[in-house]
Amino acid sequence: MNERLKEKVRSLRISDYNYCLPDERIAKHPLARREQCKLLYHHGDVNEERHFYDVPSLLPPKTMLVVNNTRVINARLRFRKPNGGAAIEIFCLEPETPHDYEQVFQTTERCSWICLVGNNKRWKEGDLSQSVEVDGKAVTLRARRTDRRGNSFVVEFSWDNPDVTFATLLTATGEIPIPPYLNRGTEESDSVDYQTVYSHIDGSVAAPTAGLHFTPELLEECDRRGIARRELTLHVGAGTFQPVKSESIGEHEMHYEFISVPRDLICELLEHKRQGRPLVAVGTTSVRTLESLYYIGQTLEDNPAPSEITVLQWMPYETPCAISTEKALQNIVDYLDRNGMNQLLGSTQLMIAPGFRYRLVDGMITNFHQPQSTLLLLVAAFVGEDKWRGMYDFALARDFRFLSYGDGSLLLP
């Protein structure tokens, strides 16, 4: 059974998840009032046009909203070779040494990252350097390429002031890496516009954009209505923009992303599921993190002491799912307690596509995604292969704005 499911999912043709998206429908900037954007409210077989400020009144009673609290870092650094040479762009993807996100931002004098390098052919050897002003003092930041990782490189950064952290340097000299499909340069306004109001854990190179529509006032309205709001972390990688270039999705390799889920939240999720209360994820990153928990718990059922916590791409379609969602969550709590941990730390490569069975998420808030993308596959897996196109046709016909700075949707059964 699992082998047949895996082959069925792997054979899905990405061309079946295409639609015409005119450039003028891609929002280049958000609305001045985030919560005023349009909302596609999809429930059952019905599509309705509402506004995002309607979300609190549309959520079912006793809903728990789960948001991704990651914060986008100034991951794009620009250097120039000596004597007015070629411009080199370094895009920090994930930390290498130290590998821990919190530690790497607090390092002084030296750290290394896995990076994309623009104009790489012009940087064959030698260090790059630039002068950065931090608190009125000049700091020299150097970059040295040390190793290759596929299409990426390990870049070692060093600087000459032991009182300055790498986080401070990024803030002083880096740029917010807005999505490439906006076809424009980073603007000063993006430093605010491209962050959710609840972001506070540094690490992403792309925003969990479904949450961009929330304002403090809208969150307060959720509180007044008794809607619980909880946080987890998935640091969004550049792979989220990686197009599916193969004809079938079985040939597409998903990217790994770091996840962190508090023990207390896992306990709450366990009780929430036991009571049959609805769980609504804000954004596809929250969806992938929550749904990964089941497969982590399934792994712990067979191996209570794994060397690492990782969800592989095809695990949902090849692993016999012999335990309940509640048992999977309990396995994680037990694992954390045995190891004296208050956070589940790991990574996920989870591919969610039609054929996937959702086990935790009962609803989601998300934006409108690129044609032929894995994010569109995730939406199709939730609403059904026969319904996603109707949703997108509805949005296109009613002048909805698309992609990161565009309008949102609330998807319920």
Side-chain angles (χ1 to χ4, degrees):
M1 174 64 180
N2 285 64
E3 194 61 36
R4 289 200 300 272
L5 175 60
K6 179 182 176 182
E7 289 308 308
K8 179 182 177 182
V9 174
R10 288 177 63 94
S11 65
L12 290 173
R13 296 182 305 169
I14 195 62
S15 59
D16 290 338
Y17 300 88
N18 194 16
Y19 68 95
C20 180
L21 178 60
D23 184 68
E24 62 268 21
R25 305 304 295 275
I26 300 174
K28 307 297 183 182
H29 297 87
L31 298 182
R33 294 282 301 276
R34 299 185 184 196
E35 79 284 4
Q36 297 280 351
C37 74
K38 291 183 179 183
L39 177 80
L40 190 157
Y41 175 38
H42 174 87
H43 52 108
D45 295 322
V46 179
N47 295 310
E48 297 181 32
E49 180 179 334
R50 308 289 285 266
H51 288 91
F52 200 85
Y53 55 69
D54 293 321
V55 163
S57 64
L58 297 175
L59 291 172
K62 300 181 179 180
T63 289
M64 178 191 289
L65 272 183
V66 178
V67 304
N68 183 3
N69 60 18
T70 189
R71 185 168 181 81
V72 183
I73 61 174
N74 291 8
R76 181 173 283 122
L77 298 167
R78 299 185 188 275
F79 289 82
R80 187 169 288 278
K81 294 189 69 176
N83 304 316
I88 307 295
E89 179 182 294
I90 300 177
F91 189 167
C92 298
L93 296 179
E94 62 177 284
E96 173 74 1
T97 307
H99 190 61
D100 180 84
Y101 279 88
E102 185 174 354
Q103 291 180 17
V104 78
F105 289 124
Q106 296 307 311
T107 53
T108 57
E109 299 187 274
R110 190 178 307 276
C111 65
S112 61
W113 283 69
I114 299 173
C115 303
L116 294 175
V117 177
N119 208 8
N120 170 63
K121 292 182 179 180
R122 304 295 297 276
W123 185 21
K124 295 181 180 179
E125 58 183 17
D127 294 358
L128 304 175
S129 67
Q130 62 169 293
S131 182
V132 183
E133 185 174 317
V134 179
D135 297 330
K137 297 180 180 179
V139 179
T140 300
L141 173 65
R142 291 183 172 82
R144 173 178 296 176
R145 201 177 58 193
T146 63
D147 196 10
R148 183 159 197 150
R149 300 286 177 83
N151 294 325
S152 306
F153 296 87
V154 177
V155 176
E156 181 184 80
F157 297 100
S158 61
W159 54 102
D160 58 2
N161 187 330
D163 296 324
V164 173
T165 65
F166 190 65
T168 304
L169 282 171
L170 283 183
T171 300
T173 192
E175 298 177 8
I176 287 284
I178 60 171
Y181 47 64
L182 293 184
N183 293 318
R184 65 171 176 82
T186 301
E187 300 173 8
E188 186 175 346
S189 59
D190 292 313
S191 62
V192 174
D193 292 341
Y194 202 53
Q195 304 282 10
T196 63
V197 295
Y198 45 73
S199 65
H200 60 94
I201 305 295
D202 287 342
S204 278
V205 300
T209 54
L212 294 179
H213 309 296
F214 281 100
T215 61
E217 294 77 16
L218 198 57
L219 294 175
E220 289 175 6
E221 177 63 17
C222 289
D223 294 341
R224 281 194 293 270
R225 290 178 176 270
I227 298 166
R229 187 174 71 257
R230 300 294 182 263
E231 299 181 359
L232 47 70
T233 306
L234 180 145
H235 288 324
V236 189
T240 192
F241 301 124
Q242 181 180 344
V244 180
K245 296 180 180 179
S246 56
E247 290 186 11
S248 65
I249 68 169
E251 299 166 29
H252 178 76
E253 183 175 2
M254 288 289 289
H255 52 289
Y256 287 90
E257 290 173 315
F258 168 87
I259 61 174
S260 174
V261 186
R263 177 193 179 279
D264 289 348
L265 173 55
I266 297 171
C267 291
E268 285 192 70
L269 291 172
L270 177 56
E271 185 61 25
H272 205 74
K273 299 307 290 185
R274 282 174 174 165
Q275 295 181 10
R277 296 181 176 183
L279 178 66
V280 175
V282 178
T284 57
T285 60
S286 296
V287 170
R288 291 181 69 234
T289 306
L290 289 167
E291 291 299 322
S292 293
L293 294 179
Y294 177 84
Y295 298 97
I296 293 171
Q298 175 72 62
T299 299
L300 292 170
E301 178 79 5
D302 303 322
N303 179 12
S307 58
E308 60 181 4
I309 299 294
T310 301
V311 178
L312 300 177
Q313 176 169 341
W314 300 110
M315 194 175 287
Y317 315 103
E318 60 189 9
T319 302
C321 300
I323 63 175
S324 66
T325 302
E326 292 83 357
K327 182 64 167 66
L329 294 171
Q330 186 64 59
N331 286 348
I332 299 174
V333 174
D334 294 343
Y335 164 79
L336 295 175
D337 289 347
R338 283 195 305 273
N339 291 279
M341 302 163 63
N342 59 14
Q343 292 275 132
L344 176 71
L345 304 176
S347 63
T348 184
Q349 194 194 19
L350 183 64
M351 163 75 83
I352 298 180
F356 180 87
R357 176 185 171 188
Y358 280 86
R359 294 181 176 274
L360 278 90
V361 172
D362 303 303
M364 70 178 73
I365 293 170
T366 188
N367 286 6
F368 294 93
H369 305 292
Q370 293 183 86
Q372 301 189 111
S373 65
T374 58
L375 301 183
L376 185 54
L377 291 172
L378 181 151
V379 169
F382 185 80
V383 301
E385 288 186 89
D386 57 336
K387 295 181 182 179
W388 77 265
R389 191 174 294 278
M391 282 174 43
Y392 275 61
D393 288 344
F394 180 94
L396 287 165
R398 286 161 177 77
D399 294 326
F400 276 65
R401 302 159 74 245
F402 277 59
L403 307 186
S404 295
Y405 279 147
D407 298 320
S409 64
L410 171 61
L411 313 180
L412 295 175

